[in-house]
Structure formats: C-alpha cells, structure tokens
Amino acid sequence: LVLVPDVDAATIRVTALGAGQSSLCTVRCEVRDGTEKIAEAEGRIGTEISIPIKSPKLWSPDNPFLYDLNISLLEDGKEVDAVRSYFGMRKIEIARDDRGLNRIHLNGKFVMQVGPLDQGFWPDGIYTAPTDEALRSDIEMTKKLGFNMARKHVKVEPDRWYYWADKLGLMIWQDMPSGNNKTEDSRKQFETAL
C-alpha cells in the first residue's frame, strides 16, 4: 500500500499495488474511526484512489490519532484477499513562522521538536530489540522523558518501532545510514538509496 495523507484536501490517497492480479480486480478501501466506518471508495489495482475524510482528526505528538484502513481485493464482486493498515492525517512542511523564519511545521503550525539522537542500541541484542514490547517501551520512555521526537541514527528500525512511534505520538527524523562512500560507485549507490 502507498498511503498519502493530504491534510489540505482532507483526503487520504491510497494506491494498492499487486503482482499477478487481473486488471479486472477491484480494490475496496474502508476507513474506520474506531468501530465506525467513516469513508469508503473503490478503484483499480495500481491506481490512486482518493478518499475524502470529513473533518479529519489530525495526528500530533499530543494527540496521535490513527485511522484504521481495511483493503479488500475483489474479483467478480467476491473478496479474494484483504489487508489491514492504518494512517495518520498529518502534514510536515517547512514554512515561515510569525517572525518570517523558516521552521518545520506540523499540520500548519510550528512545533518545537525536542528529542535524542537514537542509535537503537540494545544491551542484549546489540542493534536488535529482544521483543515487540521492548520496542514499545523504548518509545514510551522517550515520551516519558519529555521528548516529542527522536533522530534515528545509523540504522533503519523494524517496522514495528515506527508503528509504535505513530501509535504513541513520536515524530521521527530518519537519518540515512552512513556507508563506505569512498568511490564514485559507492557515492552513486548512497544517493540512489537516499
């Protein structure tokens, strides 16, 4: 799934990518706020489906609200596959503040971002967390210490770490892991990956 929240247009843009599926298949997208279905739309595999979100609840560190997203793949009107996901309605941009200085804004407002350089080190697993609970605890402790963001350095974490950051309200600055960029080929590869 490629999910692009568009706060200005109050929509979520969804593209469901699939391999080997018939072009006759339909993708059904259902957006939920808890148990309540608030929006639904259909489209084709690989094409962008724009779903209006009426009066969207915006994600922030103080209110990390996430919508649930259910995706069904339909063939001749029958569900042949399904996946669940989530998204937050949020917008990050560089914009001028009231003094005319460029600042990072979240949802159209300057938010002072305060957080540690986090290298993801674990005493018992070096750079691998022992459990999902440990990943969650890491985010909870960061928030408990009064931070609203973390700069993830040296590595890319497992998807579950980013999930807990979304769920618990932690903004992330993701560094590009550094490499041995001493040759022209290695520099090109670094830029491609970046």
Side-chain angles (χ1 to χ4, degrees):
L1 299 176
V2 178
L3 308 176
V4 181
D6 187 338
V7 170
D8 295 333
T11 62
I12 179 72
R13 298 193 318 259
V14 177
T15 305
L17 304 175
Q21 297 296 330
S22 165
S23 62
L24 300 176
C25 289
T26 301
V27 175
R28 179 182 297 145
C29 307
E30 179 183 279
V31 177
R32 300 188 80 79
D33 177 347
T35 59
E36 179 185 0
K37 179 170 66 172
I38 63 163
E40 187 175 49
E42 291 187 5
R44 295 278 178 218
I45 291 176
T47 62
E48 188 176 88
I49 303 166
S50 186
I51 308 168
I53 307 295
K54 186 177 178 182
S55 302
K57 297 177 182 178
L58 301 182
W59 183 98
S60 73
D62 294 330
N63 182 34
F65 181 82
L66 298 172
Y67 290 94
D68 292 315
L69 180 64
N70 298 329
I71 305 290
S72 298
L73 183 63
L74 307 174
E75 189 171 34
D76 296 324
K78 295 179 184 175
E79 184 177 278
V80 294
D81 202 356
V83 67
R84 293 181 186 179
S85 192
Y86 70 90
F87 64 93
M89 289 297 290
R90 55 191 162 197
K91 175 184 174 181
I92 300 287
E93 65 183 332
I94 296 178
R96 296 195 184 278
D97 67 7
D98 55 355
R99 294 176 24 214
L101 300 172
N102 280 335
R103 305 273 189 202
I104 298 174
H105 284 66
L106 173 65
N107 301 326
K109 297 177 185 172
F110 170 66
V111 175
M112 183 64 165
Q113 297 181 40
V114 180
L117 176 82
D118 181 347
Q119 292 187 313
F121 180 80
W122 296 89
D124 50 352
I126 306 177
Y127 288 107
T128 303
T131 63
D132 186 57
E133 291 79 18
L135 292 171
R136 178 182 178 142
S137 176
D138 194 43
I139 301 293
E140 288 173 334
M141 182 56 70
T142 302
K143 295 275 296 188
K144 185 176 181 180
L145 291 170
F147 299 122
N148 65 3
M149 62 78 65
R151 176 182 165 197
K152 184 51 72 170
H153 182 61
V154 174
K155 66 183 268 200
V156 176
E157 287 287 357
D159 288 345
R160 290 296 292 181
W161 186 83
Y162 298 97
Y163 166 78
W164 288 119
D166 283 339
K167 186 84 173 161
L168 299 172
L170 189 68
M171 294 182 287
I172 305 299
W173 292 10
Q174 177 66 60
D175 285 2
M176 177 67 177
S178 51
N180 183 3
N181 299 324
K182 294 179 181 173
T183 69
E184 185 61 29
D185 284 343
S186 65
R187 287 189 290 274
K188 284 181 184 176
Q189 180 56 41
F190 179 87
E191 189 170 336
T192 297
L194 178 62

